[in-house]
Amino acid sequence: MKKFSERLQYARNLRGLTQAQLAQASRLSQGAIANYESGTRHESKGIFRLAEALQVNVLWLSQGVGAIESAATPAPPPSGNQLADSARAQPAASWPFQTISRESYQSLSSKDRAVIESTVAALIVSLSNK
């Protein structure tokens, strides 16, 4: 599938959703979904919401890169003080973000962490293509 419209329609059908159901799940209009699938609109500003609603890899949906399923396999949240201990045990260089603490990231739900990972991956691809 070379086109965004084809991938979107394929993923929607794979999940057994109507355009109206996908619109509601992604907080977009049904008309927008229809326009994306017909190719009238070529790229969605709501690509991350669509990928999340369809539970697919945002890179696959937007560019046809990688597998359809998200590669993120979230780890279970740590119990007790394991989070603080693991954050101290890891060298600072292993955590890529200077303004986001490991603790605040780990406090998010696994679904939210998967969205962040997909977003960062899409940004990396986008910036490396410039």
Side-chain angles (χ1 to χ4, degrees):
M1 287 171 270
K2 294 183 179 185
K3 296 180 182 178
F4 167 70
S5 60
E6 294 170 340
R7 290 187 298 276
L8 178 62
Q9 188 172 17
Y10 174 81
R12 181 179 59 77
N13 289 330
L14 182 68
R15 299 301 184 224
L17 298 173
T18 65
Q19 288 181 348
Q21 290 169 324
L22 177 57
Q24 184 177 10
S26 63
R27 299 173 314 278
L28 298 171
S29 71
Q30 189 273 326
I33 304 297
N35 288 335
Y36 294 138
E37 288 188 2
S38 71
T40 305
R41 283 184 174 174
H42 298 287
E43 190 63 34
S44 170
K45 292 180 183 177
I47 190 75
F48 294 105
R49 288 189 278 170
L50 287 168
E52 182 180 1
L54 292 166
Q55 299 177 340
V56 298
N57 180 341
V58 71
L59 287 174
W60 174 84
L61 183 59
S62 66
Q63 301 172 11
V65 175
I68 186 172
E69 300 297 330
S70 178
T73 306
S79 60
N81 289 332
Q82 291 175 344
L83 179 61
D85 294 342
S86 67
R88 280 192 296 269
Q90 303 253 342
S94 68
W95 183 248
F97 305 105
Q98 295 177 5
T99 59
I100 302 169
S101 72
R102 185 184 305 264
E103 291 83 6
S104 64
Y105 174 78
Q106 289 295 331
S107 71
L108 298 172
S109 70
S110 61
K111 185 176 179 181
D112 289 343
R113 289 192 307 266
V115 169
I116 290 171
E117 183 175 334
S118 294
T119 302
V120 170
L123 285 169
I124 289 169
V125 168
S126 175
L127 293 172
S128 65
N129 288 336
K130 288 186 175 185

